[in-house]
Amino acid sequence: MEPKFLALEQEKQDRILNAAMKEFAQNGYKNTSTNNIVKQAGISKGLLFHYFTNKRELYLTLYDYFVELFLKEMQQKVDWEDKDIFSRHRQIAALKIKLFHQYEHIFNFLNAAMSENSREVKSELDSRKEKFINHNYREMLQDIDKSKFKEGLDVSKIIEIISWSMEGFAYKQQAKFKGLSINEMDLEETLQELDGYIEVLKYSFYK
Amino acid sequence: MEPKFLALEQEKQDRILNAAMKEFAQNGYKNTSTNNIVKQAGISKGLLFHYFTNKRELYLTLYDYFVELFLKEMQQKVDWEDKDIFSRHRQIAALKIKLFHQYEHIFNFLNAAMSENSREVKSELDSRKEKFINHNYREMLQDIDKSKFKEGLDVSKIIEIISWSMEGFAYKQQAKFKGLSINEMDLEETLQELDGYIEVLKYSFYK
Amino acid sequence: MEPKFLALEQEKQDRILNAAMKEFAQNGYKNTSTNNIVKQAGISKGLLFHYFTNKRELYLTLYDYFVELFLKEMQQKVDWEDKDIFSRHRQIAALKIKLFHQYEHIFNFLNAAMSENSREVKSELDSRKEKFINHNYREMLQDIDKSKFKEGLDVSKIIEIISWSMEGFAYKQQAKFKGLSINEMDLEETLQELDGYIEVLKYSFYK
Amino acid sequence: MEPKFLALEQEKQDRILNAAMKEFAQNGYKNTSTNNIVKQAGISKGLLFHYFTNKRELYLTLYDYFVELFLKEMQQKVDWEDKDIFSRHRQIAALKIKLFHQYEHIFNFLNAAMSENSREVKSELDSRKEKFINHNYREMLQDIDKSKFKEGLDVSKIIEIISWSMEGFAYKQQAKFKGLSINEMDLEETLQELDGYIEVLKYSFYK
DNA sequence: CATGAATGAGGGTTCATTCAT
DNA sequence: GATGAATGAACCCTCATTCAT
């Protein structure tokens, strides 16, 4: 994050961050107009470019900031001593829900970034995604207790299948919540539904 | 598809279709320049608009055409008498690989369309996706033989998990193949890898 | 008129003439699309340009044709032996009404041409208008019986005032008829109204 | 007029106004290129659209501005206590000449607008014209001293004839001045010529 | 630090005109 | 003669970015 920007009062920072995040999440990179961002953030055109040199920098900075925020929270809030894969996934899900309460558009933005196709940011984004997945995300699921799985199963495949299931579930929830304001979403129920899937997976893969 | 366009010699049709599909897949709707499409297709600017009223129409027409092509192939090439869910998924995967040989960018394009969020096409796309998923895709996985699953499992959840796994696998393959030309991809190997995952799932979910 | 065009069967000629005249009258030169003309005339794009080389030629040819038609009719149908200026104006008005029955759009077209502003035809049109007004139209009102006017009046000014009144009246009628089909216009009544104005003018200017 | 535009220094405002007015007057709505306007006004393409949403808005704004200017001047500069119809027409003519000195193209533009028939602005223009003519222009000639007219004349017809004569005269002058720069026009002489026609009309219609 | 007027390259689209069939 | 697919220059308009104030 640009140091100039960080010197700003917190409230103004958040106004800009949220405005940009929301616009990028809803419209994608190219279709987001810096005009709309500044209008929504209540700042002048010039100021945005004073802090972020250009639109690309703004987008990438935003991406980095929230990826890092997510990872930092993971490090701090997840109990890494607990080696049970399902327990870990469940903690991550709970964490996501908490973050979602803080930054309503964070996952819409991050997911949109995952499938962002605009020339201007695609390659840079791809390399960061790779780094993110290889260095951070993957290891989170490596030091788990593999002794709990049934014999005769390819454990690494099982781990992948569980991840895919978690992602599939998250995606399904997002589709269900599309268009709703955060108050209208019953996130408690979501966790309970998740437990249903975890139960099935546990029953099938665990001894 | 516009009748004027269909009257064209097949080779030119394909040149235009492929050029448009590739550009849209790589850059998204908004960032794709019709300039690049016509340059790559080797036709004049005016001709593109002679066939397709405007950029939006071109995009949507392309989407409809390839969705329909996919569904038609599904109807014809998949053995719907075979009620085994894994067998069915495997047949669909094989079909996708075949289509991929014909139209290199078809799934990149279709996937990009799934997460396209340009104002201009989003709502139209959303309604078509809904129709597609509800009327066609869903029922394909409904009339399967549920007696094969282990007792005590929530079958509908299992079916979802299997789908998510198939999607996760496909996504992983795509990431692996990104940047490669079609000749460099070992699609035979892909099917064998898929069989590995299917084996795990079968072992876990079937009696 | 192009000889090629004149060789065409009368009915097709008229179809093209009327279609072009209507479009030009309604939309002006620039805003008229040759596409609409050919569609309305029921001929192909190429054929129009086979007869008229380009849009400009078509417009100017149309203009010349109907100006000439108008002048020819004037020569033939008006009784030039009658030297009374009001009688002459009245005859011209009646003639216009007759022509209007034949070619519904003729005066809309000709009037639109009078105030056509498009670069492409303006200068050419201006020179033709000048010719038209100086050589043909003016003299029509020169050999009239000036002995009927009251003494002490500048006769040439009176003649102008009468012309302007006739034009003003015609313009007022057109505004009244705008949007109506020819069947809905009571042209008989129009002539009677004209007589009202002529009476006033006669009373004021004649001995 | 857009507030942004009004905040501009007067000189630049006028440069843009005059450039646009001249182009529209000479070429009509459709044939006028915003490229030419900005070139002539010495501003960038983007700036024009910074002030006026689009070409249509520019045209209509221009029209409204100068119609209003004209009407305001009428209200203020014409002596409405003087009920003599010729005196009033003469005052209006003098006012027009004064405005013409300020904005060389104002009447060419306004007249061109009267017979503009581009789809894009026609309907809007028509409704404004109607308002203009009915509410403002008409009443200006209603409260005149009718006792001065000779007995036995249809006064309302006389009033129309006088208006048509004034319009005819104005049109004739315009044709005479076409192509001349404002310095080359002897506007003093024009007023004297007008007096000649007024004299004739007075002699004929007044007691 | 903060503003928003100003820029201009680039985009989508139209349409008169050509020409192979 | 007759067709309409094909062309490309020109159009209106957008928007990230700059810079004088």
Side-chain angles (χ1 to χ4, degrees):
Chain A
M1 188 76 66
E2 310 292 318
K4 274 188 240 165
F5 179 75
L6 292 173
L8 223 52
E9 37 181 329
Q10 187 63 40
E11 189 270 339
K12 205 171 190 177
Q13 272 187 47
D14 275 359
R15 240 167 51 218
I16 297 174
L17 251 30
N18 279 321
M21 193 155 53
K22 182 179 171 192
E23 289 299 309
F24 281 129
Q26 286 180 351
N27 308 311
Y29 178 79
K30 183 69 176 215
N31 223 31
T32 290
S33 155
T34 53
N35 256 329
N36 289 341
I37 294 177
V38 299
K39 224 175 282 170
Q40 198 159 129
I43 60 167
S44 78
K45 205 82 181 284
L47 202 54
L48 187 71
F49 287 90
H50 181 67
Y51 293 131
F52 298 98
T53 56
N54 58 37
K55 187 183 175 181
R56 187 173 177 274
E57 219 57 43
L58 167 62
Y59 186 87
L60 260 14
T61 300
L62 218 60
Y63 178 79
D64 286 343
Y65 179 74
F66 285 103
V67 161
E68 220 140 304
L69 179 71
F70 179 42
L71 292 178
K72 206 183 62 201
E73 288 283 303
M74 292 265 276
Q75 222 97 54
Q76 292 174 0
K77 302 286 164 55
V78 171
D79 173 12
W80 297 100
E81 292 312 307
D82 187 344
K83 305 296 189 190
D84 182 275
I85 190 171
F86 295 110
S87 170
R88 190 163 288 178
H89 268 299
R90 202 184 182 286
Q91 284 186 69
I92 293 171
L95 178 64
K96 280 183 170 180
I97 286 173
K98 205 204 94 203
L99 273 175
F100 185 58
H101 269 115
Q102 257 181 57
Y103 295 99
E104 189 172 348
H105 304 287
I106 180 170
F107 294 110
N108 281 337
F109 171 70
L110 254 18
N111 286 334
M114 283 295 158
S115 49
E116 176 61 57
N117 275 322
S118 290
R119 244 196 309 290
E120 292 95 324
V121 293
K122 200 174 187 181
S123 64
E124 189 67 23
L125 227 39
D126 279 353
S127 77
R128 293 179 196 215
K129 274 185 259 176
E130 203 177 353
K131 231 191 305 176
F132 172 48
I133 290 170
N134 285 335
H135 296 173
N136 303 97
Y137 201 72
R138 183 161 299 181
E139 68 190 29
M140 291 184 177
L141 297 167
Q142 233 47 299
D143 68 332
I144 54 153
D145 182 357
K146 293 168 186 171
S147 69
K148 293 181 171 180
F149 292 112
K150 282 178 182 154
E151 314 281 328
L153 281 175
D154 182 334
V155 175
S156 67
K157 283 198 176 58
I158 291 291
I159 292 173
E160 278 180 294
I161 287 170
I162 292 170
S163 283
W164 292 336
S165 298
M166 295 296 109
E167 285 161 17
F169 176 76
Y171 188 79
K172 185 184 164 194
Q173 290 302 310
Q174 269 174 44
K176 204 167 91 184
F177 287 156
K178 180 157 282 183
L180 269 55
S181 88
I182 197 161
N183 305 315
E184 302 169 295
M185 309 176 188
D186 188 341
L187 296 171
E188 208 44 56
E189 194 191 50
T190 290
L191 264 186
Q192 283 169 28
E193 272 187 54
L194 178 62
D195 286 336
Y197 288 92
I198 286 177
E199 194 185 354
V200 169
L201 291 165
K202 237 178 199 163
Y203 183 91
S204 306
F205 296 145
Y206 269 12
K207 283 174 187 162
Chain B
M1 192 75 68
E2 310 293 319
K4 270 187 215 165
F5 180 74
L6 292 174
L8 221 55
E9 37 181 330
Q10 188 64 40
E11 189 271 337
K12 202 171 191 177
Q13 270 187 50
D14 275 358
R15 239 169 52 221
I16 297 174
L17 251 29
N18 280 321
M21 196 153 53
K22 182 179 172 192
E23 289 297 311
F24 280 129
Q26 286 181 350
N27 308 310
Y29 176 79
K30 185 67 174 238
N31 218 36
T32 291
S33 160
T34 53
N35 274 330
N36 289 339
I37 294 178
V38 299
K39 224 174 282 171
Q40 198 159 130
I43 60 169
S44 76
K45 202 78 181 284
L47 194 55
L48 187 69
F49 290 94
H50 183 63
Y51 293 130
F52 305 94
T53 334
N54 52 37
K55 186 183 175 181
R56 187 174 179 273
E57 220 57 42
L58 167 61
Y59 185 86
L60 259 14
T61 301
L62 219 59
Y63 178 79
D64 286 342
Y65 179 74
F66 285 104
V67 162
E68 219 141 303
L69 180 69
F70 179 42
L71 293 178
K72 208 184 59 200
E73 289 283 303
M74 292 265 276
Q75 222 96 56
Q76 292 174 1
K77 302 287 164 52
V78 172
D79 174 12
W80 297 98
E81 292 311 306
D82 187 343
K83 306 295 190 191
D84 183 275
I85 189 170
F86 295 109
S87 170
R88 190 163 289 179
H89 268 299
R90 202 186 182 285
Q91 283 186 70
I92 293 172
L95 178 63
K96 280 183 169 180
I97 286 173
K98 204 205 96 203
L99 274 175
F100 185 59
H101 268 116
Q102 258 182 55
Y103 294 99
E104 189 172 347
H105 304 284
I106 181 170
F107 294 110
N108 281 337
F109 171 70
L110 253 20
N111 286 335
M114 282 294 158
S115 49
E116 176 61 60
N117 46 21
S118 287
R119 250 191 305 290
E120 293 95 323
V121 293
K122 200 175 187 179
S123 63
E124 190 66 22
L125 227 39
D126 279 353
S127 76
R128 292 177 196 216
K129 274 185 258 176
E130 205 178 350
K131 233 191 304 177
F132 171 47
I133 289 170
N134 284 334
H135 295 171
N136 302 98
Y137 201 72
R138 184 161 299 181
E139 66 191 32
M140 290 184 177
L141 296 167
Q142 233 47 297
D143 69 330
I144 54 153
D145 183 357
K146 292 167 185 170
S147 69
K148 293 182 171 179
F149 292 112
K150 283 179 182 154
E151 312 282 327
L153 282 174
D154 182 334
V155 175
S156 66
K157 282 199 177 56
I158 292 290
I159 292 174
E160 279 179 292
I161 287 168
I162 293 170
S163 284
W164 292 336
S165 299
M166 296 295 109
E167 285 162 18
F169 176 76
Y171 188 78
K172 184 184 163 194
Q173 291 302 308
Q174 269 174 44
K176 202 167 96 185
F177 288 157
K178 180 157 284 182
L180 269 56
S181 88
I182 197 159
N183 305 316
E184 302 170 294
M185 308 177 188
D186 188 341
L187 296 170
E188 207 43 57
E189 194 191 51
T190 289
L191 263 186
Q192 282 169 28
E193 272 186 54
L194 178 62
D195 286 335
Y197 288 91
I198 287 177
E199 193 184 354
V200 169
L201 291 165
K202 237 180 200 161
Y203 184 90
S204 307
F205 296 145
Y206 269 12
K207 283 173 187 161
Chain C
M1 190 75 67
E2 310 292 316
K4 273 190 240 165
F5 180 74
L6 291 173
L8 223 54
E9 38 181 328
Q10 188 63 40
E11 190 270 339
K12 204 172 191 176
Q13 273 188 46
D14 274 358
R15 240 168 51 219
I16 297 174
L17 252 28
N18 279 321
M21 192 154 54
K22 183 179 171 193
E23 289 298 310
F24 281 130
Q26 286 179 350
N27 308 311
Y29 177 80
K30 183 69 176 214
N31 224 31
T32 290
S33 156
T34 52
N35 255 329
N36 289 341
I37 294 178
V38 300
K39 223 175 282 168
Q40 199 157 131
I43 60 167
S44 77
K45 205 84 181 285
L47 200 54
L48 187 71
F49 287 90
H50 181 67
Y51 292 131
F52 298 99
T53 56
N54 57 36
K55 187 182 175 181
R56 185 172 178 274
E57 219 57 42
L58 167 62
Y59 186 87
L60 260 13
T61 300
L62 217 60
Y63 177 80
D64 286 343
Y65 179 75
F66 285 103
V67 161
E68 220 140 304
L69 179 71
F70 178 41
L71 293 178
K72 207 183 60 200
E73 288 284 303
M74 292 265 275
Q75 223 96 54
Q76 293 173 1
K77 302 286 163 54
V78 171
D79 173 12
W80 296 100
E81 292 313 306
D82 187 345
K83 305 297 189 189
D84 181 276
I85 188 169
F86 295 110
S87 170
R88 189 162 289 179
H89 268 299
R90 203 185 182 286
Q91 284 186 70
I92 293 171
L95 177 63
K96 280 182 169 182
I97 287 174
K98 205 205 93 202
L99 274 176
F100 185 59
H101 270 116
Q102 258 181 59
Y103 295 98
E104 190 173 347
H105 304 286
I106 180 170
F107 294 110
N108 281 337
F109 170 71
L110 254 17
N111 287 334
M114 282 294 158
S115 49
E116 176 60 58
N117 274 322
S118 290
R119 245 196 309 290
E120 292 95 325
V121 293
K122 200 174 186 180
S123 62
E124 188 67 22
L125 227 40
D126 279 352
S127 77
R128 292 179 197 215
K129 274 185 259 176
E130 203 178 352
K131 233 193 300 179
F132 171 47
I133 289 169
N134 285 334
H135 296 173
N136 302 97
Y137 201 73
R138 184 160 301 180
E139 68 191 31
M140 290 184 179
L141 297 166
Q142 234 45 300
D143 68 332
I144 54 153
D145 182 358
K146 293 168 185 170
S147 68
K148 293 181 171 180
F149 291 113
K150 281 179 184 155
E151 313 283 326
L153 282 175
D154 182 335
V155 175
S156 67
K157 282 197 175 61
I158 291 290
I159 292 173
E160 278 181 292
I161 287 169
I162 293 170
S163 285
W164 293 336
S165 298
M166 295 296 108
E167 285 162 16
F169 176 76
Y171 187 79
K172 185 184 162 193
Q173 291 301 309
Q174 269 173 43
K176 205 168 91 185
F177 288 158
K178 178 156 285 182
L180 268 57
S181 88
I182 198 161
N183 305 316
E184 301 169 293
M185 308 176 187
D186 188 340
L187 296 171
E188 208 44 58
E189 194 191 51
T190 289
L191 263 185
Q192 282 168 27
E193 273 186 55
L194 178 62
D195 286 334
Y197 288 91
I198 286 178
E199 193 185 355
V200 169
L201 291 166
K202 238 179 199 161
Y203 182 90
S204 305
F205 297 145
Y206 269 12
K207 283 172 188 164
Chain D
M1 192 74 68
E2 310 293 318
K4 271 188 215 164
F5 180 74
L6 291 174
L8 221 55
E9 37 182 329
Q10 189 63 41
E11 189 270 336
K12 204 172 190 178
Q13 271 188 49
D14 275 357
R15 240 167 53 219
I16 297 174
L17 250 30
N18 280 321
M21 196 153 52
K22 182 178 170 192
E23 289 297 310
F24 281 130
Q26 286 181 351
N27 308 310
Y29 176 79
K30 185 70 174 242
N31 219 35
T32 290
S33 160
T34 53
N35 272 330
N36 290 339
I37 294 178
V38 299
K39 224 174 284 170
Q40 199 159 129
I43 60 169
S44 77
K45 201 79 183 285
L47 194 55
L48 186 70
F49 291 96
H50 184 63
Y51 293 130
F52 305 95
T53 334
N54 52 38
K55 186 183 175 180
R56 188 173 177 274
E57 220 58 41
L58 167 62
Y59 185 87
L60 260 14
T61 301
L62 220 59
Y63 177 80
D64 286 342
Y65 179 74
F66 285 105
V67 161
E68 219 141 302
L69 180 70
F70 179 41
L71 292 178
K72 207 184 59 199
E73 289 283 303
M74 292 266 275
Q75 221 96 54
Q76 292 174 359
K77 302 286 164 54
V78 171
D79 174 12
W80 296 98
E81 292 313 306
D82 187 343
K83 306 297 190 189
D84 183 277
I85 190 171
F86 295 109
S87 170
R88 190 163 288 180
H89 269 298
R90 202 185 182 284
Q91 284 186 70
I92 293 171
L95 178 63
K96 280 182 169 179
I97 286 173
K98 203 205 96 203
L99 275 176
F100 186 58
H101 268 115
Q102 258 181 55
Y103 295 99
E104 190 173 347
H105 304 286
I106 180 171
F107 294 109
N108 281 336
F109 171 70
L110 253 19
N111 287 335
M114 282 294 159
S115 50
E116 176 62 60
N117 45 21
S118 287
R119 250 192 305 289
E120 291 95 324
V121 293
K122 200 175 187 179
S123 64
E124 190 68 21
L125 228 39
D126 279 353
S127 77
R128 293 177 196 215
K129 274 185 258 176
E130 203 178 350
K131 233 191 303 178
F132 172 47
I133 290 169
N134 284 335
H135 295 171
N136 303 98
Y137 201 71
R138 184 161 299 181
E139 66 190 32
M140 290 186 178
L141 297 167
Q142 233 47 297
D143 67 332
I144 54 156
D145 183 357
K146 291 167 186 170
S147 69
K148 294 182 172 179
F149 292 112
K150 282 178 183 156
E151 313 282 327
L153 281 175
D154 182 335
V155 175
S156 67
K157 283 198 176 60
I158 291 292
I159 292 173
E160 279 181 290
I161 287 169
I162 293 170
S163 283
W164 292 336
S165 299
M166 296 295 109
E167 285 162 17
F169 176 76
Y171 188 79
K172 183 185 162 192
Q173 291 301 310
Q174 269 174 43
K176 202 168 94 186
F177 287 157
K178 181 156 283 182
L180 269 56
S181 89
I182 196 159
N183 305 316
E184 303 169 292
M185 308 176 188
D186 188 340
L187 296 171
E188 207 45 56
E189 194 191 51
T190 290
L191 263 185
Q192 282 168 27
E193 272 186 56
L194 178 63
D195 286 335
Y197 287 92
I198 287 178
E199 194 184 355
V200 169
L201 291 165
K202 235 177 202 164
Y203 183 90
S204 306
F205 295 145
Y206 269 13
K207 282 173 190 164

